[in-house]
């Protein structure tokens, strides 16, 4: 449906639909990874080594995460002009904008059964995302102060930005 709508004409609907699609894919990813979908066990094998992962399920989980990342990207791009990150988003939309960036960064670090190079690349992208979020919060402190949950998320974001370089 998103491909058939004009993002310039139906901006609000475009944003809502892309954000909701991203959330759905993210929830499916979480359910699949935890084995909560019918007929599925958890992703790892209990009797095997901890690092072993069911390749088919990991691939499906990664595909769901990629779809979620894609739709969060579509949502975020609707706020960007000329491929630049938004310096400031309307106050009513700021929380959803930052939450989308946070969720996209988190998903990038949750990919399973991928090569070390892919993990490093995902961690670099996530680190960049966390740093952008922190910079946005510094430029627009009123957004962080207005939402109690966002101030908590910003603290967690700062922790992740501090921890991720050790994984690179």
């Amino acid at each position: 449906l998103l491909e058939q709508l004009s993002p310039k004409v139906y901006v609000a609907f475009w944003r809502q639909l892309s954000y909701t699609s991203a959330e759905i894919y993210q929830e499916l990813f979480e359910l699949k990874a935890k084995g909560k979908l019918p007929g599925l066990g958890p992703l790892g094998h209990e009797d095997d080594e901890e690092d072993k992962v069911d390749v088919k399920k990991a691939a499906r989980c990664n595909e769901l995460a990629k779809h979620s990342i894609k739709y969060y990207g579509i949502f975020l791009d609707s706020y960007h002009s000329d491929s630049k990150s938004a310096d400031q988003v309307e106050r009513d939309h700021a929380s959803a904008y930052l939450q989308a960036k946070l969720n996209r960064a988190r998903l990038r670090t949750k990919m399973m059964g991928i090569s070390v190079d892919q993990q490093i690349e995902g961690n670099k992208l996530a680190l960049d995302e966390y740093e952008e979020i922190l910079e946005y919060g510094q430029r627009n402190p009123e957004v962080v102060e207005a939402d109690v949950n966002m101030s908590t998320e910003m603290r967690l974001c700062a922790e992740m930005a501090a921890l991720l370089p050790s994984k690179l």
Side-chain angles (χ1 to χ4, degrees):
L1 184 59
L2 267 175
E3 289 81 24
Q4 296 176 2
L5 290 175
S6 170
K8 293 182 173 125
V9 177
Y10 301 103
V11 177
F13 189 64
W14 174 268
R15 286 177 178 164
Q16 181 181 8
L17 194 56
S18 60
Y19 191 87
T20 302
S21 297
E23 284 184 315
I24 290 168
Y25 277 113
Q26 184 177 3
E27 187 63 28
L28 286 171
F29 167 82
E30 297 292 340
L31 290 171
K32 186 94 164 168
K34 293 178 183 171
K36 301 287 185 183
L37 291 178
L40 298 173
L43 196 57
H45 299 288
E46 292 176 17
D47 54 349
D48 292 348
E49 298 172 19
E50 286 182 25
D51 293 341
K52 275 236 167 170
V53 178
D54 184 333
V55 177
K56 253 181 151 175
K57 288 180 187 175
R60 181 64 181 137
C61 285
N62 290 345
E63 199 60 37
L64 292 168
K66 287 176 187 175
H67 282 301
S68 184
I69 290 168
K70 171 188 168 188
Y71 285 110
Y72 279 128
I74 290 170
F75 172 78
L76 294 167
D77 288 346
S78 72
Y79 290 98
H80 301 169
S81 61
D82 303 326
S83 300
K84 286 183 172 179
S85 240
D87 287 332
Q88 187 168 14
V89 175
E90 299 169 37
R91 193 173 195 150
D92 296 342
H93 299 212
S95 183
Y97 177 82
L98 292 173
Q99 197 62 50
K101 283 183 125 354
L102 279 166
N103 289 339
R104 190 167 70 167
R106 287 178 182 141
L107 284 165
R108 286 185 166 140
T109 62
K110 289 184 176 183
M111 296 288 203
M112 297 174 255
I114 58 177
S115 72
V116 173
D117 290 340
Q118 290 172 319
Q119 287 176 357
I120 290 172
E121 185 62 30
N123 287 341
K124 282 181 183 177
L125 290 170
L127 179 59
D128 291 343
E129 199 93 60
Y130 286 126
E131 288 172 347
E132 284 178 24
I133 294 164
L134 291 171
E135 288 170 13
Y136 185 92
Q138 290 171 349
R139 281 192 314 268
N140 305 288
E142 68 279 358
V143 172
V144 178
E145 294 165 3
D147 188 353
V148 173
N149 290 334
M150 193 50 64
S151 61
T152 303
E153 292 287 1
M154 289 301 234
R155 281 195 306 276
L156 293 173
C157 187
E159 286 180 28
M160 286 303 292
L163 290 173
L164 271 178
S166 67
K167 293 193 169 216
L168 299 180

